Amino acid sequence: MTNSVHPHGRHRAPLPPAHVPADGVPGPRVPQSAMAATVPHAPAGTTARPGSSGHSGSMSKAASPERSAPTGQPAKQRDAFFDNAKYLAIVLVAMAHAWEPLTDGSRVAEALYMTVYTFHMPAFILISGYFSRSFDMRSDRLKRLVTGVAVPYVLFEVAYTFFKRYADNDPTQPISLLDPWYLTWFLVALFVWRLTTPLWKLVRWPIPLSLAIAVLATISPDIGDDLDLQRVLQFLPFFVLGLFMKPEYFQLVRRREVRLLSIPIFASALLLAYWAGPRMTSAWFYRRDSAQELGAPWWAGVVMTLALFGCSAILTACFFAWVPRRKMWFTVLGAGTLYGYLLHGFLAKGSRFWGWFDDYEWMHRPAGEVLVSLVAAAVVTLLCTPPVQRMFRFAMEPKMEWAFKRDAAALARERAKASSS
């Protein structure tokens, strides 16, 4: 396979590490209107503590709108289906990172890699859009956007830069908040997408318009690397699609007939990827570059953008069809997938910097590939657990009350209450 473009690094040198993420949504919340359709198993009147489906300690006050619910009103309960989907998707992300160094010597690994890359990021982004439907420019939501997305971006961009300087023996690696490195691009994209949410609710044909923007980005080589705008624009249609998803659509894909149909679809996708592996570059799936930068004519960008959108949408639906809708042992981990996403990047990159895949030949054998996949799944699972979340909450969900002005209405209420007492 011709890997000419690194999916995450700043430099377009031959790739080693591979990809990303993305969970990317810190703690999805389910609107009350969606609960009846998405959590049929939840007993009436029951509520879960914020941050999990009945589990405690997975989200901070700064990132959890349920905590600010008026007294006497039930908190919004997390939907196990979406937490399960996020956990399973982040496991696929970690496994795909582990497969990337194996793809040159194994067509099976390459086929799995390309198939998973077709839908795991679109699935995350679609969920991100779905849980951004209520976003507006209200002050509390803007604060959560800053503390839950912008601040982690700055902290992890700096942390990754220093890690590369040390682990890759590259002291010249610059800190650049305008040029996201490795996994941090998703935070930039989520910040931009969420800010544009009110605009997408105003236009008449939001999904076709977002697809047109993605197509134009694919044929525009002059966009450059600032804020990884190619990815922001090329993945945009999935976020917009999520904004206009309804709970009943997720019920549709979880029907038994859809689940059965997904089996031959996944099998066909694997066979197609097995055939296409030696014939095309996987860089198309990263959506980081224009068609011209990938050595293709401009019209290929139009065709590939539309074709990949269709394939990604179908495989994402097939993926959702197999996500359990009930509470599982891993459901609580769904609230921590952004932790697993960003933290596992240090190991994913470190394994390349330190030459693990070059030094141990057994990793390139079938048994070694299976073991590497299991280790990757176990590591990212550990990084999603509540203890790890508590340890790194200062960076992922800082409260930062000191950084914001107090709400005038809240101050007035406090003064009125104090004067009345």
Side-chain angles (χ1 to χ4, degrees), residues 136-155:
D136 52 28
M137 294 301 174
R138 213 171 70 185
S139 60
D140 60 328
R141 287 172 177 152
L142 287 173
K143 289 177 184 177
R144 283 196 296 272
L145 184 62
V146 170
T147 58
V149 179
V151 172
Y153 167 68
V154 172
L155 294 177

mmCIF file with all atom_site columns, all heavy atoms in Angstrom, residues 136-155:
data_model
loop_
_atom_site.group_PDB
_atom_site.id
_atom_site.type_symbol
_atom_site.label_atom_id
_atom_site.label_alt_id
_atom_site.label_comp_id
_atom_site.label_asym_id
_atom_site.label_entity_id
_atom_site.label_seq_id
_atom_site.pdbx_PDB_ins_code
_atom_site.Cartn_x
_atom_site.Cartn_y
_atom_site.Cartn_z
_atom_site.occupancy
_atom_site.B_iso_or_equiv
_atom_site.pdbx_formal_charge
_atom_site.auth_seq_id
_atom_site.auth_comp_id
_atom_site.auth_asym_id
_atom_site.auth_atom_id
_atom_site.pdbx_PDB_model_num
ATOM 1   N N   . ASP A 1 136 ? -26.478 26.370 21.615 1.00 0.00 ? 136 ASP A N   1
ATOM 2   C CA  . ASP A 1 136 ? -26.686 27.742 21.172 1.00 0.00 ? 136 ASP A CA  1
ATOM 3   C C   . ASP A 1 136 ? -25.606 28.599 21.819 1.00 0.00 ? 136 ASP A C   1
ATOM 4   O O   . ASP A 1 136 ? -24.657 28.077 22.399 1.00 0.00 ? 136 ASP A O   1
ATOM 5   C CB  . ASP A 1 136 ? -28.101 28.226 21.510 1.00 0.00 ? 136 ASP A CB  1
ATOM 6   C CG  . ASP A 1 136 ? -28.445 28.009 22.982 1.00 0.00 ? 136 ASP A CG  1
ATOM 7   O OD1 . ASP A 1 136 ? -27.516 28.002 23.823 1.00 0.00 ? 136 ASP A OD1 1
ATOM 8   O OD2 . ASP A 1 136 ? -29.640 27.851 23.301 1.00 0.00 ? 136 ASP A OD2 1
ATOM 9   N N   . MET A 1 137 ? -25.755 29.881 21.726 1.00 0.00 ? 137 MET A N   1
ATOM 10  C CA  . MET A 1 137 ? -24.726 30.771 22.261 1.00 0.00 ? 137 MET A CA  1
ATOM 11  C C   . MET A 1 137 ? -24.990 31.168 23.716 1.00 0.00 ? 137 MET A C   1
ATOM 12  O O   . MET A 1 137 ? -24.491 32.184 24.183 1.00 0.00 ? 137 MET A O   1
ATOM 13  C CB  . MET A 1 137 ? -24.622 32.026 21.384 1.00 0.00 ? 137 MET A CB  1
ATOM 14  C CG  . MET A 1 137 ? -24.123 31.724 19.988 1.00 0.00 ? 137 MET A CG  1
ATOM 15  S SD  . MET A 1 137 ? -22.492 30.942 19.996 1.00 0.00 ? 137 MET A SD  1
ATOM 16  C CE  . MET A 1 137 ? -22.284 30.558 18.266 1.00 0.00 ? 137 MET A CE  1
ATOM 17  N N   . ARG A 1 138 ? -25.767 30.339 24.421 1.00 0.00 ? 138 ARG A N   1
ATOM 18  C CA  . ARG A 1 138 ? -26.016 30.602 25.830 1.00 0.00 ? 138 ARG A CA  1
ATOM 19  C C   . ARG A 1 138 ? -24.707 30.527 26.609 1.00 0.00 ? 138 ARG A C   1
ATOM 20  O O   . ARG A 1 138 ? -23.850 29.701 26.304 1.00 0.00 ? 138 ARG A O   1
ATOM 21  C CB  . ARG A 1 138 ? -27.011 29.581 26.372 1.00 0.00 ? 138 ARG A CB  1
ATOM 22  C CG  . ARG A 1 138 ? -27.931 30.104 27.464 1.00 0.00 ? 138 ARG A CG  1
ATOM 23  C CD  . ARG A 1 138 ? -28.998 29.097 27.767 1.00 0.00 ? 138 ARG A CD  1
ATOM 24  N NE  . ARG A 1 138 ? -28.432 27.928 28.452 1.00 0.00 ? 138 ARG A NE  1
ATOM 25  C CZ  . ARG A 1 138 ? -29.131 26.841 28.746 1.00 0.00 ? 138 ARG A CZ  1
ATOM 26  N NH1 . ARG A 1 138 ? -30.395 26.761 28.370 1.00 0.00 ? 138 ARG A NH1 1
ATOM 27  N NH2 . ARG A 1 138 ? -28.574 25.831 29.391 1.00 0.00 ? 138 ARG A NH2 1
ATOM 28  N N   . SER A 1 139 ? -24.567 31.361 27.623 1.00 0.00 ? 139 SER A N   1
ATOM 29  C CA  . SER A 1 139 ? -23.278 31.502 28.297 1.00 0.00 ? 139 SER A CA  1
ATOM 30  C C   . SER A 1 139 ? -22.787 30.198 28.915 1.00 0.00 ? 139 SER A C   1
ATOM 31  O O   . SER A 1 139 ? -21.595 29.873 28.827 1.00 0.00 ? 139 SER A O   1
ATOM 32  C CB  . SER A 1 139 ? -23.366 32.582 29.373 1.00 0.00 ? 139 SER A CB  1
ATOM 33  O OG  . SER A 1 139 ? -24.359 32.256 30.347 1.00 0.00 ? 139 SER A OG  1
ATOM 34  N N   . ASP A 1 140 ? -23.683 29.406 29.531 1.00 0.00 ? 140 ASP A N   1
ATOM 35  C CA  . ASP A 1 140 ? -23.221 28.176 30.182 1.00 0.00 ? 140 ASP A CA  1
ATOM 36  C C   . ASP A 1 140 ? -22.711 27.167 29.168 1.00 0.00 ? 140 ASP A C   1
ATOM 37  O O   . ASP A 1 140 ? -21.755 26.435 29.426 1.00 0.00 ? 140 ASP A O   1
ATOM 38  C CB  . ASP A 1 140 ? -24.326 27.569 31.048 1.00 0.00 ? 140 ASP A CB  1
ATOM 39  C CG  . ASP A 1 140 ? -25.565 27.217 30.244 1.00 0.00 ? 140 ASP A CG  1
ATOM 40  O OD1 . ASP A 1 140 ? -25.853 27.921 29.243 1.00 0.00 ? 140 ASP A OD1 1
ATOM 41  O OD2 . ASP A 1 140 ? -26.262 26.251 30.612 1.00 0.00 ? 140 ASP A OD2 1
ATOM 42  N N   . ARG A 1 141 ? -23.324 27.141 27.981 1.00 0.00 ? 141 ARG A N   1
ATOM 43  C CA  . ARG A 1 141 ? -22.869 26.196 26.952 1.00 0.00 ? 141 ARG A CA  1
ATOM 44  C C   . ARG A 1 141 ? -21.553 26.655 26.334 1.00 0.00 ? 141 ARG A C   1
ATOM 45  O O   . ARG A 1 141 ? -20.703 25.821 25.994 1.00 0.00 ? 141 ARG A O   1
ATOM 46  C CB  . ARG A 1 141 ? -23.958 26.037 25.896 1.00 0.00 ? 141 ARG A CB  1
ATOM 47  C CG  . ARG A 1 141 ? -25.131 25.219 26.431 1.00 0.00 ? 141 ARG A CG  1
ATOM 48  C CD  . ARG A 1 141 ? -26.310 25.168 25.519 1.00 0.00 ? 141 ARG A CD  1
ATOM 49  N NE  . ARG A 1 141 ? -27.342 24.309 26.102 1.00 0.00 ? 141 ARG A NE  1
ATOM 50  C CZ  . ARG A 1 141 ? -28.634 24.446 25.877 1.00 0.00 ? 141 ARG A CZ  1
ATOM 51  N NH1 . ARG A 1 141 ? -29.059 25.405 25.070 1.00 0.00 ? 141 ARG A NH1 1
ATOM 52  N NH2 . ARG A 1 141 ? -29.512 23.640 26.439 1.00 0.00 ? 141 ARG A NH2 1
ATOM 53  N N   . LEU A 1 142 ? -21.387 27.948 26.188 1.00 0.00 ? 142 LEU A N   1
ATOM 54  C CA  . LEU A 1 142 ? -20.107 28.449 25.696 1.00 0.00 ? 142 LEU A CA  1
ATOM 55  C C   . LEU A 1 142 ? -18.991 28.157 26.697 1.00 0.00 ? 142 LEU A C   1
ATOM 56  O O   . LEU A 1 142 ? -17.862 27.814 26.305 1.00 0.00 ? 142 LEU A O   1
ATOM 57  C CB  . LEU A 1 142 ? -20.196 29.950 25.432 1.00 0.00 ? 142 LEU A CB  1
ATOM 58  C CG  . LEU A 1 142 ? -21.000 30.366 24.190 1.00 0.00 ? 142 LEU A CG  1
ATOM 59  C CD1 . LEU A 1 142 ? -21.158 31.878 24.151 1.00 0.00 ? 142 LEU A CD1 1
ATOM 60  C CD2 . LEU A 1 142 ? -20.334 29.859 22.914 1.00 0.00 ? 142 LEU A CD2 1
ATOM 61  N N   . LYS A 1 143 ? -19.274 28.272 27.980 1.00 0.00 ? 143 LYS A N   1
ATOM 62  C CA  . LYS A 1 143 ? -18.272 27.954 29.002 1.00 0.00 ? 143 LYS A CA  1
ATOM 63  C C   . LYS A 1 143 ? -17.863 26.486 28.914 1.00 0.00 ? 143 LYS A C   1
ATOM 64  O O   . LYS A 1 143 ? -16.679 26.152 28.995 1.00 0.00 ? 143 LYS A O   1
ATOM 65  C CB  . LYS A 1 143 ? -18.819 28.254 30.398 1.00 0.00 ? 143 LYS A CB  1
ATOM 66  C CG  . LYS A 1 143 ? -18.957 29.728 30.718 1.00 0.00 ? 143 LYS A CG  1
ATOM 67  C CD  . LYS A 1 143 ? -19.576 29.924 32.098 1.00 0.00 ? 143 LYS A CD  1
ATOM 68  C CE  . LYS A 1 143 ? -19.823 31.392 32.400 1.00 0.00 ? 143 LYS A CE  1
ATOM 69  N NZ  . LYS A 1 143 ? -20.488 31.574 33.706 1.00 0.00 ? 143 LYS A NZ  1
ATOM 70  N N   . ARG A 1 144 ? -18.851 25.600 28.743 1.00 0.00 ? 144 ARG A N   1
ATOM 71  C CA  . ARG A 1 144 ? -18.532 24.173 28.643 1.00 0.00 ? 144 ARG A CA  1
ATOM 72  C C   . ARG A 1 144 ? -17.736 23.881 27.379 1.00 0.00 ? 144 ARG A C   1
ATOM 73  O O   . ARG A 1 144 ? -16.885 22.988 27.361 1.00 0.00 ? 144 ARG A O   1
ATOM 74  C CB  . ARG A 1 144 ? -19.814 23.328 28.680 1.00 0.00 ? 144 ARG A CB  1
ATOM 75  C CG  . ARG A 1 144 ? -20.404 23.179 30.071 1.00 0.00 ? 144 ARG A CG  1
ATOM 76  C CD  . ARG A 1 144 ? -21.410 22.046 30.119 1.00 0.00 ? 144 ARG A CD  1
ATOM 77  N NE  . ARG A 1 144 ? -22.560 22.303 29.260 1.00 0.00 ? 144 ARG A NE  1
ATOM 78  C CZ  . ARG A 1 144 ? -23.645 22.965 29.647 1.00 0.00 ? 144 ARG A CZ  1
ATOM 79  N NH1 . ARG A 1 144 ? -23.716 23.455 30.861 1.00 0.00 ? 144 ARG A NH1 1
ATOM 80  N NH2 . ARG A 1 144 ? -24.659 23.142 28.822 1.00 0.00 ? 144 ARG A NH2 1
ATOM 81  N N   . LEU A 1 145 ? -18.023 24.625 26.308 1.00 0.00 ? 145 LEU A N   1
ATOM 82  C CA  . LEU A 1 145 ? -17.263 24.438 25.072 1.00 0.00 ? 145 LEU A CA  1
ATOM 83  C C   . LEU A 1 145 ? -15.800 24.830 25.285 1.00 0.00 ? 145 LEU A C   1
ATOM 84  O O   . LEU A 1 145 ? -14.887 24.170 24.794 1.00 0.00 ? 145 LEU A O   1
ATOM 85  C CB  . LEU A 1 145 ? -17.877 25.272 23.946 1.00 0.00 ? 145 LEU A CB  1
ATOM 86  C CG  . LEU A 1 145 ? -17.260 25.121 22.558 1.00 0.00 ? 145 LEU A CG  1
ATOM 87  C CD1 . LEU A 1 145 ? -17.397 23.689 22.057 1.00 0.00 ? 145 LEU A CD1 1
ATOM 88  C CD2 . LEU A 1 145 ? -17.900 26.095 21.571 1.00 0.00 ? 145 LEU A CD2 1
ATOM 89  N N   . VAL A 1 146 ? -15.577 25.888 26.038 1.00 0.00 ? 146 VAL A N   1
ATOM 90  C CA  . VAL A 1 146 ? -14.215 26.328 26.319 1.00 0.00 ? 146 VAL A CA  1
ATOM 91  C C   . VAL A 1 146 ? -13.504 25.348 27.239 1.00 0.00 ? 146 VAL A C   1
ATOM 92  O O   . VAL A 1 146 ? -12.392 24.894 26.945 1.00 0.00 ? 146 VAL A O   1
ATOM 93  C CB  . VAL A 1 146 ? -14.218 27.751 26.931 1.00 0.00 ? 146 VAL A CB  1
ATOM 94  C CG1 . VAL A 1 146 ? -12.828 28.121 27.443 1.00 0.00 ? 146 VAL A CG1 1
ATOM 95  C CG2 . VAL A 1 146 ? -14.679 28.772 25.908 1.00 0.00 ? 146 VAL A CG2 1
ATOM 96  N N   . THR A 1 147 ? -14.136 25.000 28.349 1.00 0.00 ? 147 THR A N   1
ATOM 97  C CA  . THR A 1 147 ? -13.467 24.144 29.343 1.00 0.00 ? 147 THR A CA  1
ATOM 98  C C   . THR A 1 147 ? -13.382 22.688 28.898 1.00 0.00 ? 147 THR A C   1
ATOM 99  O O   . THR A 1 147 ? -12.447 21.984 29.276 1.00 0.00 ? 147 THR A O   1
ATOM 100 C CB  . THR A 1 147 ? -14.193 24.219 30.689 1.00 0.00 ? 147 THR A CB  1
ATOM 101 O OG1 . THR A 1 147 ? -15.567 23.810 30.532 1.00 0.00 ? 147 THR A OG1 1
ATOM 102 C CG2 . THR A 1 147 ? -14.157 25.626 31.246 1.00 0.00 ? 147 THR A CG2 1
ATOM 103 N N   . GLY A 1 148 ? -14.346 22.229 28.098 1.00 0.00 ? 148 GLY A N   1
ATOM 104 C CA  . GLY A 1 148 ? -14.360 20.818 27.712 1.00 0.00 ? 148 GLY A CA  1
ATOM 105 C C   . GLY A 1 148 ? -13.723 20.508 26.380 1.00 0.00 ? 148 GLY A C   1
ATOM 106 O O   . GLY A 1 148 ? -13.464 19.345 26.070 1.00 0.00 ? 148 GLY A O   1
ATOM 107 N N   . VAL A 1 149 ? -13.448 21.548 25.569 1.00 0.00 ? 149 VAL A N   1
ATOM 108 C CA  . VAL A 1 149 ? -12.868 21.317 24.245 1.00 0.00 ? 149 VAL A CA  1
ATOM 109 C C   . VAL A 1 149 ? -11.634 22.193 24.016 1.00 0.00 ? 149 VAL A C   1
ATOM 110 O O   . VAL A 1 149 ? -10.551 21.691 23.696 1.00 0.00 ? 149 VAL A O   1
ATOM 111 C CB  . VAL A 1 149 ? -13.916 21.565 23.127 1.00 0.00 ? 149 VAL A CB  1
ATOM 112 C CG1 . VAL A 1 149 ? -13.293 21.333 21.755 1.00 0.00 ? 149 VAL A CG1 1
ATOM 113 C CG2 . VAL A 1 149 ? -15.119 20.655 23.311 1.00 0.00 ? 149 VAL A CG2 1
ATOM 114 N N   . ALA A 1 150 ? -11.784 23.512 24.166 1.00 0.00 ? 150 ALA A N   1
ATOM 115 C CA  . ALA A 1 150 ? -10.677 24.422 23.848 1.00 0.00 ? 150 ALA A CA  1
ATOM 116 C C   . ALA A 1 150 ? -9.499  24.252 24.804 1.00 0.00 ? 150 ALA A C   1
ATOM 117 O O   . ALA A 1 150 ? -8.340  24.166 24.366 1.00 0.00 ? 150 ALA A O   1
ATOM 118 C CB  . ALA A 1 150 ? -11.170 25.867 23.872 1.00 0.00 ? 150 ALA A CB  1
ATOM 119 N N   . VAL A 1 151 ? -9.770  24.206 26.096 1.00 0.00 ? 151 VAL A N   1
ATOM 120 C CA  . VAL A 1 151 ? -8.677  24.076 27.071 1.00 0.00 ? 151 VAL A CA  1
ATOM 121 C C   . VAL A 1 151 ? -7.964  22.726 26.925 1.00 0.00 ? 151 VAL A C   1
ATOM 122 O O   . VAL A 1 151 ? -6.720  22.683 26.891 1.00 0.00 ? 151 VAL A O   1
ATOM 123 C CB  . VAL A 1 151 ? -9.188  24.290 28.506 1.00 0.00 ? 151 VAL A CB  1
ATOM 124 C CG1 . VAL A 1 151 ? -8.094  23.963 29.524 1.00 0.00 ? 151 VAL A CG1 1
ATOM 125 C CG2 . VAL A 1 151 ? -9.647  25.739 28.688 1.00 0.00 ? 151 VAL A CG2 1
ATOM 126 N N   . PRO A 1 152 ? -8.674  21.586 26.831 1.00 0.00 ? 152 PRO A N   1
ATOM 127 C CA  . PRO A 1 152 ? -7.957  20.328 26.583 1.00 0.00 ? 152 PRO A CA  1
ATOM 128 C C   . PRO A 1 152 ? -7.128  20.361 25.304 1.00 0.00 ? 152 PRO A C   1
ATOM 129 O O   . PRO A 1 152 ? -6.047  19.759 25.248 1.00 0.00 ? 152 PRO A O   1
ATOM 130 C CB  . PRO A 1 152 ? -9.085  19.296 26.486 1.00 0.00 ? 152 PRO A CB  1
ATOM 131 C CG  . PRO A 1 152 ? -10.184 19.865 27.310 1.00 0.00 ? 152 PRO A CG  1
ATOM 132 C CD  . PRO A 1 152 ? -10.100 21.346 27.099 1.00 0.00 ? 152 PRO A CD  1
ATOM 133 N N   . TYR A 1 153 ? -7.621  21.063 24.274 1.00 0.00 ? 153 TYR A N   1
ATOM 134 C CA  . TYR A 1 153 ? -6.828  21.164 23.046 1.00 0.00 ? 153 TYR A CA  1
ATOM 135 C C   . TYR A 1 153 ? -5.480  21.829 23.313 1.00 0.00 ? 153 TYR A C   1
ATOM 136 O O   . TYR A 1 153 ? -4.431  21.327 22.890 1.00 0.00 ? 153 TYR A O   1
ATOM 137 C CB  . TYR A 1 153 ? -7.591  21.949 21.974 1.00 0.00 ? 153 TYR A CB  1
ATOM 138 C CG  . TYR A 1 153 ? -6.700  22.350 20.822 1.00 0.00 ? 153 TYR A CG  1
ATOM 139 C CD1 . TYR A 1 153 ? -6.179  21.387 19.965 1.00 0.00 ? 153 TYR A CD1 1
ATOM 140 C CD2 . TYR A 1 153 ? -6.337  23.680 20.613 1.00 0.00 ? 153 TYR A CD2 1
ATOM 141 C CE1 . TYR A 1 153 ? -5.333  21.731 18.926 1.00 0.00 ? 153 TYR A CE1 1
ATOM 142 C CE2 . TYR A 1 153 ? -5.489  24.034 19.574 1.00 0.00 ? 153 TYR A CE2 1
ATOM 143 C CZ  . TYR A 1 153 ? -4.994  23.059 18.734 1.00 0.00 ? 153 TYR A CZ  1
ATOM 144 O OH  . TYR A 1 153 ? -4.147  23.398 17.715 1.00 0.00 ? 153 TYR A OH  1
ATOM 145 N N   . VAL A 1 154 ? -5.509  22.944 24.000 1.00 0.00 ? 154 VAL A N   1
ATOM 146 C CA  . VAL A 1 154 ? -4.264  23.665 24.279 1.00 0.00 ? 154 VAL A CA  1
ATOM 147 C C   . VAL A 1 154 ? -3.327  22.799 25.121 1.00 0.00 ? 154 VAL A C   1
ATOM 148 O O   . VAL A 1 154 ? -2.135  22.664 24.806 1.00 0.00 ? 154 VAL A O   1
ATOM 149 C CB  . VAL A 1 154 ? -4.559  24.998 25.003 1.00 0.00 ? 154 VAL A CB  1
ATOM 150 C CG1 . VAL A 1 154 ? -3.256  25.651 25.465 1.00 0.00 ? 154 VAL A CG1 1
ATOM 151 C CG2 . VAL A 1 154 ? -5.340  25.935 24.101 1.00 0.00 ? 154 VAL A CG2 1
ATOM 152 N N   . LEU A 1 155 ? -3.855  22.178 26.169 1.00 0.00 ? 155 LEU A N   1
ATOM 153 C CA  . LEU A 1 155 ? -3.016  21.391 27.068 1.00 0.00 ? 155 LEU A CA  1
ATOM 154 C C   . LEU A 1 155 ? -2.408  20.181 26.363 1.00 0.00 ? 155 LEU A C   1
ATOM 155 O O   . LEU A 1 155 ? -1.217  19.890 26.512 1.00 0.00 ? 155 LEU A O   1
ATOM 156 C CB  . LEU A 1 155 ? -3.826  20.949 28.285 1.00 0.00 ? 155 LEU A CB  1
ATOM 157 C CG  . LEU A 1 155 ? -4.290  22.072 29.221 1.00 0.00 ? 155 LEU A CG  1
ATOM 158 C CD1 . LEU A 1 155 ? -5.139  21.496 30.357 1.00 0.00 ? 155 LEU A CD1 1
ATOM 159 C CD2 . LEU A 1 155 ? -3.108  22.837 29.799 1.00 0.00 ? 155 LEU A CD2 1
#
